[in-house]
Amino acid sequence: MTWTSKFCFVVFDHSLISQVLLEEVTLYEARCGVTSCCAAAMNDIVKLFICCAGVFSCYLFYGVFQERVTRGKYEDGEKFTYTISLVFLQCVTNALFARAALLFTEKSRSTAPAHLFAALAGTYVAAMLCSNMSLQYVSYPTQVLTKSCKPVAVLLLGILLAGKRYPLFRYLCVGLIVGGAAIFLYPKDKPSAAKIEGNEMIGNLLLAGSLFCDGLTGAFQEKTNAHGVSSHSLMLNMNLYSLIYLAGGLVYLGEVPRFLGFVSRNPTIIKDIALFCLLSSLGQNFIFMTVTSFGSLVCSLVTTTRKFFTIVFSVILFGNQLVTQQWIGIVLVFSGLFIEGMVKSSGKSKKPVEAVDKKQS
């Protein structure tokens, strides 16, 4: 098997990554005479490195290109306001990637009812639109930090809509997250570089709407997973139904001619949009790989750490200055996320994850 073939299998079929790595480790073992125990450990280390490197590199640069597209400086001071077109292209790329992955992994069709995918896609699209539109009013670090408060939305919706009760540690973690977010969003002295033209309150409301839709998306996703839908099948159907909503919005608002006109005046944006969409698809794939290989605890730690460094990248590359009080807020938010992820995942058995992994392979 050539390295090109191995790369395709590693990217598209998570169940074969162990086989590919094991083949190389076995050759190394034969050459160097290391024990099988060391070989197995090396296999896990290399696999974890691939997952972490994939998530970090894809989403760090995803954030860079997202900020360049939505908040870049264009000809005659024109701003990018074509959010529906951007999300449409992102969903097209995600759907194509998922379809290609299914060709490598499975042949069976999804058994989940269509209305579940339709509802899931509706909240998914609404969350992405609100999130991208918010960047016209707030800084990128503000968007990333606020979107990290998703556990707050999940908890509130669980209490209000489903009547759920949660353990005390969940409320404590949410308290840390809310407190940290409040400190970050409303510091006493904001740096002048952080002041964005327009009404910042609109950006905060859009982010609140995005969080609300994220909470609904999680609820619909749980119902969809109950039907045994695989990760790539979910990714494909969710994005296909999303394209229906987005196409309707594009036609109704007549955004396509204006978007194409903007691109013709600013052709350099084509590369940024293409890389933004590609990195989005690859990033989702590496997250699926991390969950199926190492469980939700490792995945939550990796993605939470990634979000922190995304903020750092934005500060360094785009000059989004933060005051000391805002850094304290960031530490509180991510501390709450880490604690919640570790405590919640430590109480779960790894067997269900392994069972799902075997069923999908």
Side-chain angles (χ1 to χ4, degrees), residues 63-64 66-67 70-71 134-135 137-149 180-181 184-185 190-191 193-194 196 200 204 207 307-323 326-327 329-330 333-334:
V64 170
Q66 184 183 31
E67 190 163 6
T70 57
R71 299 190 58 207
S134 69
L135 289 173
Y137 306 98
V138 299
S139 67
Y140 190 74
T142 299
Q143 188 232 45
V144 173
L145 186 87
T146 306
K147 289 286 287 182
S148 299
C149 298
F184 179 91
L185 294 173
K190 279 193 176 183
I196 301 175
E200 190 174 355
N204 292 333
L207 288 172
K307 290 177 181 177
F308 176 82
F309 282 103
T310 297
I311 293 177
V312 175
F313 258 54
S314 180
V315 171
I316 295 173
L317 296 179
F318 295 96
N320 291 308
Q321 299 178 15
L322 301 177
V323 298
Q326 288 179 306
W327 284 111
I330 290 173
V333 169
F334 286 103

Side-chain angles (χ1 to χ4, degrees), residues 16-242:
L16 291 178
I17 186 172
S18 297
Q19 178 182 341
V20 173
L21 292 174
L22 185 60
E23 179 183 334
E24 298 303 315
V25 170
T26 303
L27 292 174
Y28 178 82
E29 180 183 354
R31 289 196 303 267
C32 303
V34 297
T35 63
S36 58
C37 206
C38 292
M42 188 185 303
N43 183 18
D44 287 339
I45 291 173
V46 174
K47 191 193 306 183
L48 180 60
F49 174 79
I50 291 174
C51 291
C52 291
V55 171
F56 268 71
S57 58
C58 288
Y59 278 108
L60 284 175
F61 287 104
Y62 166 87
V64 170
F65 286 109
Q66 184 183 31
E67 190 163 6
R68 285 180 62 173
V69 170
T70 57
R71 299 190 58 207
K73 296 180 180 179
Y74 298 102
E75 186 178 344
D76 298 329
E78 190 176 5
K79 292 184 178 181
F80 183 89
T81 58
Y82 311 100
T83 307
I84 299 179
S85 299
L86 180 64
V87 175
F88 182 87
L89 293 175
Q90 185 178 358
C91 288
V92 168
T93 309
N94 289 343
L96 290 175
F97 188 94
R99 186 70 188 94
L102 289 173
L103 293 177
F104 279 83
T105 57
E106 59 185 270
K107 306 298 180 181
S108 60
R109 294 185 177 182
S110 172
T111 57
H115 71 270
L116 271 182
F117 286 123
L120 177 61
T123 57
Y124 169 71
V125 166
M128 285 203 298
L129 289 176
C130 290
S131 179
N132 282 282
M133 289 174 65
S134 69
L135 289 173
Q136 299 176 30
Y137 306 98
V138 299
S139 67
Y140 190 74
T142 299
Q143 188 232 45
V144 173
L145 186 87
T146 306
K147 289 286 287 182
S148 299
C149 298
K150 182 178 177 179
V152 179
V154 173
L155 183 139
L156 291 177
L157 288 174
I159 294 174
L160 297 176
L161 300 182
K164 291 184 177 180
R165 293 185 178 181
Y166 296 94
L168 178 61
F169 87 90
R170 291 291 298 274
Y171 294 99
L172 295 176
C173 292
V174 166
L176 273 177
I177 295 170
V178 172
I183 291 174
F184 179 91
L185 294 173
Y186 304 105
K188 293 181 179 179
D189 298 314
K190 279 193 176 183
S192 57
K195 296 178 181 178
I196 301 175
E197 296 181 4
N199 192 344
E200 190 174 355
M201 183 59 67
I202 295 177
N204 292 333
L205 289 175
L206 286 170
L207 288 172
S210 181
L211 282 176
F212 177 77
C213 292
D214 278 337
L216 292 177
T217 300
F220 287 126
Q221 194 166 355
E222 286 183 6
K223 293 183 178 181
T224 306
N225 290 339
H227 293 271
V229 180
S230 68
S231 57
H232 284 123
S233 181
L234 174 64
M235 184 177 176
L236 174 63
N237 285 280
M238 183 171 66
N239 283 282
L240 286 178
Y241 278 90
S242 298

Side-chain angles (χ1 to χ4, degrees), residues 5-16 96-106 231-232 282 285 289:
S5 301
K6 291 173 184 177
F7 175 79
C8 291
F9 280 117
V10 166
V11 169
F12 289 124
D13 192 346
H14 307 160
S15 63
L16 291 178
L96 290 175
F97 188 94
R99 186 70 188 94
L102 289 173
L103 293 177
F104 279 83
T105 57
E106 59 185 270
S231 57
H232 284 123
L282 287 173
N285 183 74
M289 184 188 297

